[in-house]
Amino acid sequence: GIQVEQSPPDLILQEGANSTLRCNFSDSVNNLQWFHQNPWGQLINLFYIPSGTKQNGRLSATTVATERYSLLYISSSQTTDSGVYFCAGYYGGATNKLIFGTGTLLAVQP
Amino acid sequence: EAQVTQNPRYLITVTGKKLTVTCSQNMNHEYMSWYRQDPGLGLRQIYYSMNVEVTDKGDVPEGYKVSRKEKRNFPLILESPSPNQTSLYFCASRPRDVLSGNTIYFGEGSWLTVV
C-alpha cells in the first residue's frame, strides 16, 4: 500500500544543534509538504516541496521525487522548534486526501 | 488574516449526546476536510468536500456526518458520540487546485473527549 515513513521517530537535541529529518514515500506522491505540530497541537504548514530545495530562515527542505524521499533540515535549533514534524503528500492523481507520514518527535533542550 | 476557525476547541461530552464541531474558513476555498489524530495512528481523513453540496467519505467516516451548505462552513456532526471518538480533530481548507502549490490551512484543532 501507500506508505509515508519518517525517520528518526524521535530526536533530542541541545539548543543550537543541527538536524536532518527524513521522509520516504512508497509510491508516486504529489505535492509533498512538511508540517510542524507544536506542543499545543497546532499544525503549521512549513514547506510545499514537490521537488528541489527551498529555504525559510533556519529551515530548509529538499525533495528528490525520482528517489521518493524528502529531507527537512533544521539548523541552530531552538526550543520553539520542539514538536512533531510530519511530511505528507497526495497520492497519484487523487487530491482529496493528504497522506501523512508517521512523524518525528523533536525535543530541543535549553 | 487567513484563518480556519474551529469550535469548540475543547469539549468533554457524554456517550450518545449529539454534538457538532463547527469549521469556518475566510479564504473562499473550495476544498475542506476533516481529520482526526490518534496516538499511534497518525492523522486520518474523516470526510472531505470539493465544493458546496459536494461531500465524500474519507478513510474513517463511520459515526460522523458532514454538510456543506455554504462555501465557508463545513461542520462535523457526531450524532451519537462514543468513547472511541475521543480524539483531536482538525479541519482544513485549501483552493481546489493543489498542483500549483496552494497551501493547505489547518484549524487549531478540537480536543474531544467522550465519556
Side-chain angles (χ1 to χ4, degrees):
Chain A
I2 307 158
Q3 288 183 326
V4 182
E5 295 180 340
Q6 295 183 239
S7 60
D10 44 67
L11 185 59
I12 300 174
L13 297 176
Q14 290 299 122
E15 206 167 19
N18 303 327
S19 64
T20 301
L21 311 182
R22 186 177 179 102
C23 172
N24 293 327
F25 36 98
S26 65
D27 211 326
S28 296
V29 173
N30 295 316
N31 207 36
L32 202 287
Q33 302 174 61
W34 283 94
F35 296 87
H36 175 221
Q37 186 170 32
N38 66 24
W40 295 269
Q42 296 172 326
L43 268 172
I44 306 298
N45 195 314
L46 297 175
F47 290 104
Y48 162 75
I49 186 79
S51 64
T53 298
K54 285 188 178 179
Q55 181 155 6
N56 185 0
R58 295 180 297 102
L59 303 181
S60 64
T62 295
T63 297
V64 183
T66 52
E67 296 185 29
R68 297 200 287 275
Y69 73 88
S70 184
L71 303 173
L72 179 70
Y73 305 96
I74 304 174
S75 64
S76 304
S77 58
Q78 300 177 357
T79 56
T80 52
D81 295 331
S82 296
V84 183
Y85 289 82
F86 292 100
C87 62
Y90 295 102
Y91 170 68
T95 59
N96 54 307
K97 176 177 70 177
L98 268 175
I99 299 169
F100 282 83
T102 48
T104 293
L105 174 60
L106 174 65
V108 180
Q109 297 179 336
Chain B
E1 182 188 354
Q3 271 189 333
V4 178
T5 303
Q6 298 177 222
N7 279 296
R9 295 285 320 284
Y10 306 92
L11 180 65
I12 301 174
T13 190
V14 296
T15 298
K17 184 178 180 182
K18 180 179 178 180
L19 72 92
T20 298
V21 186
T22 63
C23 175
S24 180
Q25 48 96 2
N26 63 0
M27 296 165 279
N28 202 37
H29 287 163
E30 292 86 0
Y31 171 96
M32 297 186 75
S33 183
W34 278 101
Y35 289 81
R36 61 178 287 175
Q37 184 178 24
D38 302 289
L41 297 174
L43 284 111
R44 296 176 293 169
Q45 189 185 54
I46 304 171
Y47 270 95
Y48 66 96
S49 168
M50 298 300 285
N51 214 327
V52 175
E53 302 291 0
V54 180
T55 63
D56 210 341
K57 297 177 180 178
D59 292 324
V60 287
E62 296 79 17
Y64 304 95
K65 288 174 60 176
V66 292
S67 68
R68 188 89 181 275
K69 293 183 170 56
E70 307 166 279
K71 201 171 189 179
R72 65 184 292 122
N73 296 323
F74 191 44
L76 180 70
I77 303 157
L78 287 73
E79 293 273 1
S80 183
S82 62
N84 65 12
Q85 292 178 297
T86 293
S87 189
L88 173 58
Y89 291 86
F90 288 100
C91 180
S93 79
R94 62 160 169 79
R96 186 180 187 90
D97 174 21
V98 303
L99 297 180
S100 55
N102 287 313
T103 300
I104 187 166
Y105 293 82
F106 282 87
E108 293 184 314
S110 296
W111 296 85
L112 173 63
T113 301
V114 184
V115 298

